Amino acid sequence: MYENDLLRRWEERWPACPPIADALKMAYPDRWVRFHSLPESKRYADSTDEYAIVLNRYNTVLDGLFGGKDIYVITADGSETSSLARRSHTGAHLHPRARYWTSVLEDPDPDALWYWHLYVSEKPWERGCLDELLRAAADEVTVGLLIADTALQRLHHPYDGGADVILATTDERDRLRCRHAEWLSSEPSGL
């Protein structure tokens, strides 16, 4: 089954972390880089011009990572139960062709259980093909979005304020960081 094969490949490639978008930067700090979406680390766009900057930055990095390749688009719906509930309206609208992939427990604390129910689709990467999803991530309408090549070598997690990118090697991360140095945080932590 497609979903089981994908989960097996994820576990082989990223053994230190389940497919929880926000946790990857902590599990793979040596291969992580963060790019901010707007100048001066502004978090949210307020105008058409600022949205154009946000989408240009997302698409520029995505072009460099996935140009000419097929990608996985992974979206998440969260709940307090491991039972697969009905997809959220937002998730179904923004990622309509996605199939259920897996559910992941974020934190085993019995007083604060939270599960991510992940949905996946595959498509060829083309600049602009995910603009609606990217804008939703930038506005925090959706969270947990992951974009990956089908070999699971490179991961892109857009969020409200920027994007975390996890690469196959530290050298590849360093090259990408240099290519877009003007989009980096001024904080020593990279956040």
Side-chain angles (χ1 to χ4, degrees):
M1 180 176 260
Y2 171 82
E3 291 81 4
N4 291 336
D5 179 57
L6 181 56
L7 188 57
R8 179 189 54 75
R9 289 188 296 126
W10 179 277
E11 290 168 348
E12 287 172 2
R13 182 72 187 116
W14 304 101
C17 189
I20 299 174
D22 197 44
L24 288 160
K25 67 183 172 293
M26 294 172 281
Y28 296 97
D30 60 321
R31 295 187 268 160
W32 164 78
V33 61
R34 173 171 283 180
F35 298 110
H36 287 181
S37 297
L38 289 165
E40 300 176 18
S41 301
K42 184 177 178 185
R43 194 156 184 113
Y44 296 100
D46 291 323
S47 68
T48 303
D49 289 343
E50 286 183 339
Y51 276 111
I53 293 168
V54 169
L55 291 175
N56 180 60
R57 287 187 181 189
Y58 283 149
N59 279 292
T60 298
V61 173
L62 289 163
D63 275 344
L65 296 173
F66 307 127
K69 297 179 181 171
D70 286 349
I71 58 169
Y72 290 126
V73 179
I74 303 164
T75 54
D77 280 343
S79 74
E80 295 175 341
T81 176
S82 63
S83 299
L84 186 59
R86 184 180 202 173
R87 276 185 85 187
S88 71
H89 173 74
T90 301
H93 169 74
L94 292 171
H95 196 196
R97 291 187 176 87
R99 298 186 315 209
Y100 172 74
W101 174 27
T102 191
S103 294
V104 179
L105 176 62
E106 180 175 29
D107 186 348
D109 177 357
D111 295 326
L113 291 177
W114 191 256
Y115 292 87
W116 289 111
H117 305 290
L118 304 178
Y119 297 85
V120 64
S121 64
E122 185 176 341
K123 68 187 302 163
W125 167 253
E126 294 178 34
R127 185 179 188 90
C129 73
L130 298 178
D131 280 359
E132 186 177 10
L133 258 175
L134 293 171
R135 185 168 171 156
D139 287 340
E140 203 176 13
V141 171
T142 188
V143 296
L145 175 60
L146 269 175
I147 304 159
D149 59 291
T150 56
L152 298 177
Q153 298 291 309
R154 297 178 180 103
L155 306 173
H156 184 278
H157 165 49
Y159 68 93
D160 56 313
D164 289 332
V165 181
I166 314 295
L167 296 155
T169 67
T170 300
D171 288 341
E172 185 179 17
R173 187 262 334 252
D174 292 345
R175 287 190 301 274
L176 185 65
R177 179 188 282 159
C178 287
R179 196 172 315 133
H180 304 295
E182 68 278 10
W183 301 344
L184 298 172
S185 169
S186 59
E187 296 294 319
S189 68
L191 297 172

